[in-house]
């Protein structure tokens, strides 16, 4: 476990707070397998320490909490039929579930960019703080993937079809919209975070979840809805279908600027990724727990890891950066039930299991 300032993860006790700092500012704190393991060890330590009453997750640097998982390394493993996906996602998803059930208050400072794997470390926290700088997104469909790390659980519990919209388009939420979508709890101005951080370290060893909530509330603006929330009625009408073809048809019929912009965005995404995402979101609506969704996501993620769409999506967005992926199949109409089936199939001995 690294507690040195130079490590990719800093974990230390400050007063009554167990601090977990993602410490790769040049990579906007993109998370590696080793960092997930170090977070798990830190949580072991903080859970057992009676002096620690609250956990605080933060990101180093000015740009954001976390831009997601270390996607380049996954891409390299996928190209050679490696097993990094199987190992990393298993440990990451088990950690996501642990965060949701953690027995001590877990505060996430969701400042700046919060995407993908960063959402998994923060949006399952008991106390979720966004700011006036927050840019939160689940952009995985643009990589031939789907919103994982419990994203299907979170998005399916957003009001109406807001989660369907954010999951399929990968659009960015600001702080108030993250609260509306139920990804966060409070907006605190970024300039007040240092003061809130210090107050959290001084809460004392007997602090309860209610104490932490009351403290954060004193710093919060009270905002609960942003620009996308204002489009709720249109989003519910346009995205309230169980087939991608029907969503596309609704968007094409609707002449509004909003619908046309959404259509343009969806036309850039992986058709297979969209179909998989919509199916997982609809299944998640019927799921009672985060774990149930994570088991399903793990099955689908292993199938994604084997797919050309994932390698092509990452190539176009991260490796060559030409923003011009060639999806397989190229059209939504060409994604057959037979193509979808392996993403949902049980995987025997490889199933995700929780302690």
């Amino acid at each position: 476990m690294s507690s040195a300032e130079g490590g990719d993860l800093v974990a230390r006790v400050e007063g009554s707070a167990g601090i977990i700092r993602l410490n790769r500012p040049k990579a906007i704190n993109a998370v590696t397998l080793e960092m997930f393991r170090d977070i798990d060890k830190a949580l072991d330590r903080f859970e057992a320490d009676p002096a620690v009453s609250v956990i605080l997750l933060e990101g180093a640097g000015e740009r954001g909490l976390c831009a997601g998982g270390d996607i380049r390394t996954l891409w390299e493993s996928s190209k050679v039929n490696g097993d990094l996906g199987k190992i990393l996602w298993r440990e990451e998803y088990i950690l996501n579930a642990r965060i949701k059930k953690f027995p001590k208050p877990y505060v996430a400072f969701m400042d700046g960019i919060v995407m993908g794997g960063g959402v998994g470390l923060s949006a399952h926290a008991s106390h979720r703080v966004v700011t006036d700088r927050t840019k939160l997104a689940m952009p995985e469909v643009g990589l031939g993937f789907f919103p994982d790390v419990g994203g299907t659980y979170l998005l399916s519990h957003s009001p109406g079809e807001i989660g369907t919209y954010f999951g399929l388009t990968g659009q960015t939420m600001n702080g108030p919209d993250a609260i509306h979508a139920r990804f966060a709890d409070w907006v605190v101005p970024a300039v007040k975070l240092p003061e809130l951080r210090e107050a959290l370290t001084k809460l004392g060893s007997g602090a309860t979840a209610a104490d932490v909530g009351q403290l954060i509330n004193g710093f919060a603006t009270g905002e609960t809805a942003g620009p996308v929330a204002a489009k709720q009625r249109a989003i519910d009408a346009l995205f309230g279908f169980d087939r991608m073809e029907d969503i596309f048809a609704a968007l094409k019929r609707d002449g509004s600027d909003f619908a046309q912009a959404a259509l343009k965005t969806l036309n850039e995404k992986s058709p297979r990724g969209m179909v998989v995402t919509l199916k997982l979101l609809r299944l998640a609506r019927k799921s009672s727990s985060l774990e149930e969704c994570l088991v399903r996501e793990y099955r689908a993620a292993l199938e994604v890891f084997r797919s050309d769409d994932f390698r092509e999506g990452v190539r176009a967005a991260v490796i060559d950066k030409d923003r011009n992926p060639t999806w397989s199949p190229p059209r939504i109409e060409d994604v057959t039930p037979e193509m979808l089936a392996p993403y949902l199939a049980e995987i025997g001995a490889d199933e995700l299991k929780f302690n």
Side-chain angles (χ1 to χ4, degrees):
M1 153 96 66
S2 166
S3 59
E5 287 298 328
D8 285 349
L9 190 93
V10 176
R12 61 165 180 245
V13 177
E14 292 183 27
S16 54
I19 307 289
I20 296 175
R21 181 185 305 141
L22 309 180
N23 196 37
R24 297 182 68 208
K26 286 180 182 164
I28 320 180
N29 303 315
V31 209
T32 63
L33 176 59
E34 285 308 313
M35 289 167 73
F36 289 129
R37 289 174 174 171
D38 281 348
I39 292 167
D40 202 46
K41 288 177 199 159
L43 290 177
D44 285 343
R45 206 173 93 204
F46 296 153
E47 187 173 346
D49 187 344
V52 172
S53 61
V54 60
I55 313 304
L56 173 60
L57 175 75
E58 61 184 10
E62 293 295 307
R63 295 164 72 193
L65 171 67
C66 176
D70 187 4
I71 208 87
R72 183 182 288 264
T73 312
L74 281 165
W75 178 77
E76 287 165 356
S77 179
S78 174
K79 278 205 312 179
V80 295
N81 296 317
D83 59 1
L84 181 62
K86 181 187 275 193
I87 296 164
L88 183 142
W89 286 320
R90 178 183 296 278
E91 295 188 30
E92 181 181 15
Y93 295 0
I94 289 169
L95 178 59
N96 298 150
R98 181 181 188 181
I99 288 167
K100 174 119 178 115
K101 290 190 164 175
F102 200 70
K104 295 181 179 182
Y106 180 121
V107 180
F109 278 3
M110 301 165 77
D111 186 33
I113 290 170
V114 188
M115 293 186 182
V119 174
L121 295 174
S122 58
H124 302 302
S126 59
H127 297 70
R128 305 167 299 176
V129 176
V130 284
T131 74
D132 46 316
R133 302 190 301 199
T134 296
K135 293 178 179 169
L136 190 153
M138 300 294 284
E140 289 82 359
V141 180
L143 300 175
F145 200 24
F146 61 88
D148 67 328
V149 298
T152 63
Y153 175 84
L154 292 160
L155 291 162
S156 66
H157 286 75
S158 297
E161 300 297 339
I162 284 280
T164 312
Y165 169 76
F166 280 124
L168 291 172
T169 63
Q171 293 290 75
T172 302
M173 308 176 199
N174 69 2
D177 267 334
I179 291 178
H180 180 72
R182 299 181 190 153
F183 275 66
D185 306 299
W186 294 272
V187 179
V188 172
V191 294
K192 289 191 176 179
L193 286 185
E195 193 185 341
L196 172 56
R197 185 186 189 281
E198 189 178 353
L200 286 166
T201 67
K202 292 178 175 173
L203 268 172
S205 58
T208 64
D211 295 332
V212 174
Q214 196 174 353
L215 174 66
I216 297 169
N217 214 34
F219 289 83
T221 66
E223 295 166 274
T224 58
V228 178
K231 304 274 188 205
Q232 178 89 52
R233 183 180 286 183
I235 286 169
D236 289 352
L238 295 165
F239 286 84
F241 301 94
D242 295 339
R243 292 176 354 120
M244 277 310 305
E245 292 93 330
D246 296 333
I247 291 175
F248 269 88
L251 290 168
K252 283 173 185 165
R253 279 196 307 270
D254 189 297
S256 69
D257 291 347
F258 175 76
Q260 295 314 302
L263 189 60
K264 182 174 183 294
T265 298
L266 293 181
N267 274 322
E268 296 165 359
K269 308 296 181 194
S270 157
R272 192 188 303 221
M274 286 188 282
V275 171
V276 170
T277 295
L278 186 60
K279 182 66 176 176
L280 290 174
L281 288 176
R282 295 303 183 247
L283 289 169
R285 272 192 181 159
K286 303 184 183 86
S287 297
S288 57
S289 69
L290 170 62
E291 279 99 334
E292 201 179 322
C293 293
L294 286 166
V295 166
R296 214 181 282 117
E297 289 177 11
Y298 189 65
R299 293 170 183 166
L302 295 192
E303 188 63 27
V304 166
F305 197 63
R306 289 189 280 268
S307 75
D308 291 336
D309 259 21
F310 174 67
R311 288 187 284 271
E312 176 62 6
V314 176
R315 180 206 64 73
V318 179
I319 310 300
D320 299 338
K321 298 185 177 170
D322 59 21
R323 308 280 171 197
N324 190 26
T326 303
W327 299 120
S328 169
R331 301 180 321 142
I332 208 85
E333 299 82 5
D334 301 330
V335 183
T336 64
E338 291 74 23
M339 285 178 196
L340 180 63
Y343 293 86
L344 307 172
E346 294 182 11
I347 51 175
D350 281 334
E351 292 284 11
L352 188 65
K353 296 179 185 72
F354 303 94
N355 301 335

